Amino acid sequence: MMEGSLSKWTNVMKGWQYRWFVLDENAGLLSYYTSKEKMTRGVRRGCVRLRAAVIGIDDEDDSTFTITVDHKTFHFQARDGAERERWVRALEDTILRHGRRERWSRCVPAPRHRHGDLERRIAEADAYLQIMIELVSKMNTRVSELSDPQEKGKGQIILDHSNAMLDNIKHSIVLLQIAKNTVNPVNGIYQGPTNPSQTHIKQSGEMSPRVEIGSECRELATPTHDMPALEDIDTARPAMSLLVPDTSYSSSEGEDDFYDADDEPATSIQPGSSVSKNHPAEGTPEQDSAQPATVDLPRTRDGEIDYDALYEDESDSDLGSMENHGSVVTHLLSQVKIGMDLTKVVLPTFILERRSLLEMYADSFAHPDQFIKIVELPTPRERMVQVIRWYLSSYHAGRKSQVAKKPYNPILGEVFRCHWDLDGALDNPNDKQEVGDGPVPWCSPDQLSFVAEQVSHHPPISAFYAEHVNKRIQFEAWVWTKSKFLGLSIGVHNIGKGTVTLIDLGEEYTLTFPNGYGRSILTVPWIELGGSVVIECVQTGHKANIEFLTKPFYGGKKHRVTCEIFAGAEKKPYYTAQGEWNTRMDGRWTDSGRSEILFEVSNMKPRRKRVAPVSRQLPHESRRVWRHVTCALRAADCDAATLAKRHVEQAQRDAVKHREASGEKWQTQLFSPRIEEGWEYKSPLKNRNVPCKSPQHKHSENDNTR
């Protein structure tokens, strides 16, 4: 039993109201009262059932949290982060405990004897497990000492099978512990489901093949509370201290109590229902996997699948909302805790977007004219404002769908190249002059070129670079993501830095990246950006502070952004901007009072990037690596997509083992680590001696001489 004060949001008094809360772990019930005195008198104001509930926190606010259950979302506020942590952990443990009890069916009564024998046998199994761990460890040492490659290969096969068997035994013992604790609850009596028609939660072995479970999920967490020894369960004892109502309620519901009205309330999900040949990218598979034969996919004149058309097709294959994958989502959520790092947790395939993360970074240059315009403006203030305009308008172009989906995690050594045409560039290919080097050697000096490489796997670091030869402007950046489970949301922290360099002006604009959030993951997920970003030019002394504001749960708009730009040591900004990054932002010059539209998305059509055909790409290039996964997702075939994705990832794991066995160290292709921090392009424009004039400029000079 846990009790204490929290604040609860209600529309009755238009704000937070003090309440006294009592958490009954046995009953799985959070009750609240208007005061501690009312609690002693039993005058309950309302209650929240915790069976099948979902806890949510906001990464931008360390004191609030939510409970979503019975089609409602309740909002609470603790005094500080430490107090919230105590309540969230206690609530999570209670939800987890009652979720495990549901795994029993009322038609299968709890065991009534030999509980001590079960506990003894589990202890024996654990002892044998320790013996096996020691034997496998000795086997590993023995295999590593073998000098004959053929004998070592045979030994490695036996070792791999032994490790697989060891993992299965570990998993089985954990499941036995869960079974023992399920029939030996805290109050000493087994509690089955209250509704005989309840469906069982699927166990790991019954999961659909379209879901992959990461290593953290395979090792199911044991209860955080010690379970007392089972007494004679034939003796009748009171099961719970409180009567659990059929649904959560509040006495103020008739007075318009507050729920999250802007978001669709979560329904209760019922469970059960690449490189050259001498430098290959890690894990690049070249075998053609079988494709769905009955789907209508774009094809070439030869009847082959047109992978280029698949990537250019921006239609969003609807694989269903999260409710349609209830057993998958519920199983996944049951294995993770608030604040848990999701880096190594393999998420379901149906949430994948049909492009690599490297290609998503390229889409931030979908308005190349805005990027090139930076170098054309005459004053430092105008150039800084243009950097902000390009930077903030780039985020909407990077989103292909209103629904939050996750791009493919690039494999180590994966590369993506593309380029864009700009207004005024030559259309006649006979007049095209190739730059000969840089990110895309076959593009012209009047085109913006881009390249990205996955330079590290742990942590997963991506590095990318863009340049325009004639305008003498370049951009290089490195970023890696760290994801965290927030209950109803997933937070993605972007760690890294980018630099816009105006070569002839000697100016460098450094910038950081906002955090991303996948909200409403139980229904229709959507993307939100949050956090502070700083853009600064040391040479001119100009600095911009940008705030991506997350939506408050008690009102306000989504996707809000504010920006202030300062010059030198001035305390008053000379330019301010505000609006939404996905629709429109308005700016204002402080000195003159002149207002302007910083950008309006409806008037900015993203420019199509030009990518080499998949058939002519090297094995390590993004679209070729992921072509079979993309094809299956376009065909709405999750099972085929999962198998294709596993094939890519298994090839990557095999490449790691091969390198470890041979003592080979991975070498990056296009980027190298900086001495201080981060990564840099090996051959940037500022270090190359290239002509500054394109064929277009030459024609102009000839016209003037006539």
Side-chain angles (χ1 to χ4, degrees):
M1 190 79 72
M2 177 178 177
E3 61 180 82
S5 61
L6 291 170
S7 294
K8 176 179 176 293
W9 182 269
T10 173
N11 271 351
V12 176
M13 298 298 293
K14 304 295 183 183
W16 294 104
Q17 295 296 304
Y18 168 89
R19 295 288 183 262
W20 188 263
F21 286 81
V22 177
L23 172 62
D24 190 329
E25 295 96 339
N26 294 332
L29 195 66
L30 179 66
S31 302
Y32 57 93
Y33 308 81
T34 55
S35 66
K36 188 174 183 178
E37 179 186 0
K38 291 288 183 68
M39 183 268 293
T40 59
R41 291 162 49 191
V43 184
R44 186 165 62 184
R45 177 74 170 174
C47 66
V48 181
R49 294 195 319 160
L50 298 177
R51 181 174 60 84
V54 177
I55 308 295
I57 64 172
D58 188 344
D59 217 25
E60 303 292 326
D61 185 345
D62 64 356
S63 63
T64 59
F65 64 96
T66 62
I67 302 177
T68 300
V69 68
D70 298 331
H71 305 269
K72 302 170 185 176
T73 299
F74 297 88
H75 299 262
F76 307 97
Q77 185 179 59
R79 284 190 297 267
D80 51 37
E83 185 180 58
R84 182 183 75 171
E85 179 75 8
R86 288 194 296 271
W87 277 101
V88 166
R89 294 307 172 198
L91 290 165
E92 277 189 320
D93 290 343
T94 302
I95 293 170
L96 182 63
R97 179 184 305 159
H98 285 266
R100 286 170 177 164
R101 291 181 184 179
E102 289 180 3
R103 297 173 188 262
W104 291 90
S105 170
R106 184 171 287 277
C107 63
V108 180
R112 294 183 174 273
H113 54 82
R114 299 185 65 183
H115 299 289
D117 184 54
L118 173 62
E119 191 167 359
R120 180 179 60 81
R121 289 182 180 273
I122 292 176
E124 289 177 354
D126 188 71
Y128 283 118
L129 173 63
Q130 299 306 315
I131 296 174
M132 287 195 62
I133 290 174
E134 293 177 6
L135 292 175
V136 171
S137 177
K138 292 179 180 179
M139 185 188 302
N140 184 43
T141 303
R142 180 73 181 93
V143 170
S144 64
E145 293 173 349
L146 292 174
S147 57
D148 188 334
Q150 187 174 3
E151 292 297 322
K152 189 169 186 176
K154 294 178 180 179
Q156 186 63 44
I157 293 175
I158 299 174
L159 183 61
D160 290 342
H161 282 286
S162 300
N163 282 320
M165 180 176 64
L166 204 60
D167 288 339
N168 288 332
I169 294 174
K170 289 179 183 178
H171 188 56
S172 300
I173 291 177
V174 171
L175 292 177
L176 286 171
Q177 291 281 2
I178 292 173
K180 183 194 75 172
N181 293 330
T182 302
V183 298
N184 187 18
V186 173
N187 60 357
I189 184 169
Y190 166 74
Q191 294 293 322
T194 57
N195 185 353
S197 64
Q198 277 181 337
T199 314
H200 299 244
I201 295 178
K202 291 187 176 183
Q203 301 290 339
S204 298
E206 301 170 341
M207 292 302 297
S208 165
R210 68 184 60 179
V211 63
E212 303 174 61
I213 304 301
S215 58
E216 287 88 349
C217 299
R218 294 192 186 100
E219 297 291 332
L220 296 178
T222 54
T224 56
H225 296 283
D226 294 333
M227 297 293 187
L230 185 69
E231 300 175 8
D232 184 3
I233 80 168
D234 292 323
T235 305
R237 300 177 64 183
M240 294 182 179
S241 57
L242 284 175
L243 178 64
V244 181
D246 292 333
T247 186
S248 306
Y249 74 89
S250 170
S251 298
S252 59
E253 282 182 8
E255 304 168 10
D256 193 25
D257 195 26
F258 177 78
Y259 304 109
D260 205 346
D262 287 342
D263 299 326
E264 186 69 21
T267 57
S268 182
I269 301 177
Q270 291 296 330
S273 337
S274 223
V275 197
S276 60
K277 292 181 180 179
N278 60 357
H279 192 135
E282 179 181 16
T284 303
E286 278 302 293
Q287 300 91 333
D288 283 341
S289 54
Q291 300 297 337
T294 59
V295 296
D296 185 17
L297 295 172
R299 296 185 179 273
T300 63
R301 293 179 180 178
D302 299 330
E304 300 294 328
I305 293 175
D306 190 342
Y307 293 105
D308 300 304
L310 286 176
Y311 278 106
E312 297 301 333
D313 180 10
E314 296 186 359
S315 62
D316 192 16
S317 298
D318 183 13
L319 298 181
S321 65
M322 291 296 184
E323 291 108 322
N324 297 335
H325 301 272
S327 61
V328 176
V329 177
T330 304
H331 181 87
L332 182 64
L333 294 183
S334 69
Q335 313 307 321
V336 294
K337 286 206 165 196
I338 297 291
M340 178 178 174
D341 183 4
L342 298 180
T343 303
K344 296 182 181 179
V345 177
V346 184
L347 300 176
T349 306
F350 65 82
I351 69 170
L352 291 179
E353 187 177 350
R354 298 198 309 272
R355 58 176 174 168
S356 170
L357 180 65
L358 299 185
E359 184 169 353
M360 190 192 81
Y361 290 139
D363 287 327
S364 19
F365 289 89
H367 303 302
D369 299 280
Q370 296 295 331
F371 178 69
I372 300 305
K373 191 177 178 181
I374 298 171
V375 77
E376 298 174 347
L377 295 173
T379 68
R381 292 193 177 199
E382 290 175 295
R383 289 194 290 271
M384 173 59 89
V385 171
Q386 184 60 31
V387 171
I388 301 300
R389 179 179 286 110
W390 160 73
Y391 178 82
L392 292 176
S393 65
S394 67
Y395 284 102
H396 88 91
R399 299 306 315 159
K400 295 292 186 183
S401 169
Q402 295 297 321
V403 178
K405 291 192 174 182
K406 178 182 178 297
Y408 311 137
N409 287 332
I411 62 173
L412 184 61
E414 181 180 329
V415 169
F416 179 79
R417 302 176 192 268
C418 66
H419 64 279
W420 293 265
D421 293 329
L422 278 81
D423 293 335
L426 288 176
D427 295 326
N428 189 348
N430 295 326
D431 295 332
K432 182 177 178 181
Q433 170 191 341
E434 294 184 354
V435 294
D437 53 11
V440 184
W442 55 87
C443 77
S444 78
D446 268 329
Q447 293 173 321
L448 179 66
S449 57
F450 173 95
V451 68
E453 179 185 359
Q454 191 70 11
V455 295
S456 172
H457 192 59
H458 296 296
I461 303 175
S462 305
F464 49 99
Y465 173 85
E467 70 176 29
H468 190 283
V469 173
N470 277 348
K471 295 296 183 180
R472 305 282 290 167
I473 182 174
Q474 68 177 50
F475 177 80
E476 64 180 353
W478 58 275
V479 62
W480 65 281
T481 59
K482 186 175 183 180
S483 56
K484 185 164 63 171
F485 180 64
L486 304 176
L488 293 176
S489 305
I490 292 177
V492 179
H493 292 255
N494 292 307
I495 304 166
K497 186 172 70 173
T499 304
V500 178
T501 303
L502 312 184
I503 299 172
D504 293 339
L505 292 171
E507 295 177 1
E508 291 186 345
Y509 298 80
T510 60
L511 55 87
T512 55
F513 305 98
N515 300 322
Y517 298 95
R519 306 295 193 190
S520 304
I521 61 176
L522 290 182
T523 52
V524 180
W526 54 278
I527 284 290
E528 183 175 34
L529 301 179
S532 300
V533 165
V534 175
I535 300 180
E536 185 174 13
C537 179
V538 175
Q539 291 78 15
T540 63
H542 291 239
K543 180 179 180 180
N545 296 324
I546 302 174
E547 292 290 337
F548 289 83
L549 307 175
T550 56
K551 177 188 172 296
F553 64 77
Y554 47 84
K557 295 182 178 180
K558 299 177 181 177
H559 312 306
R560 293 282 298 170
V561 182
T562 63
C563 173
E564 292 182 332
I565 308 179
F566 300 86
E570 294 181 4
K571 295 184 178 180
K572 182 180 180 181
Y574 66 80
Y575 191 88
T576 60
Q578 61 179 355
E580 291 86 42
W581 59 264
N582 65 335
T583 54
R584 166 175 165 162
M585 288 196 66
D586 297 299
R588 181 177 180 274
W589 294 91
T590 306
D591 293 340
S592 64
R594 177 171 62 90
S595 297
E596 63 181 9
I597 298 175
L598 187 65
F599 66 84
E600 189 164 8
V601 169
S602 60
N603 297 330
M604 301 174 68
K605 184 178 180 180
R607 197 176 293 265
R608 178 180 172 183
K609 59 182 176 287
R610 297 185 176 272
V611 187
V614 171
S615 60
R616 287 171 24 198
Q617 290 185 6
L618 296 175
H620 67 290
E621 296 195 59
S622 295
R623 290 190 171 184
R624 184 165 180 176
V625 170
W626 300 102
R627 64 192 186 279
H628 296 313
V629 182
T630 300
C631 179
L633 288 175
R634 180 63 184 87
D637 189 340
C638 272
D639 292 339
T642 298
L643 291 175
K645 179 170 173 282
R646 285 176 178 169
H647 185 68
V648 172
E649 293 167 343
Q650 185 57 47
Q652 181 175 223
R653 287 188 283 267
D654 293 343
V656 172
K657 289 182 179 179
H658 175 75
R659 277 203 317 278
E660 290 177 348
S662 62
E664 178 186 355
K665 186 178 180 181
W666 176 258
Q667 298 293 330
T668 56
Q669 309 162 59
L670 305 171
F671 293 82
S672 58
R674 293 179 182 270
I675 297 176
E676 64 280 4
E677 180 189 30
W679 294 76
E680 60 184 354
Y681 187 56
K682 291 182 178 180
S683 181
L685 180 61
K686 64 182 180 181
N687 293 346
R688 303 200 314 267
N689 184 18
V690 295
C692 299
K693 292 186 178 180
S694 67
Q696 178 69 36
H697 291 127
K698 290 182 179 179
H699 286 310
S700 299
E701 290 176 2
N702 292 336
D703 291 340
N704 292 335
T705 58
R706 279 200 283 264

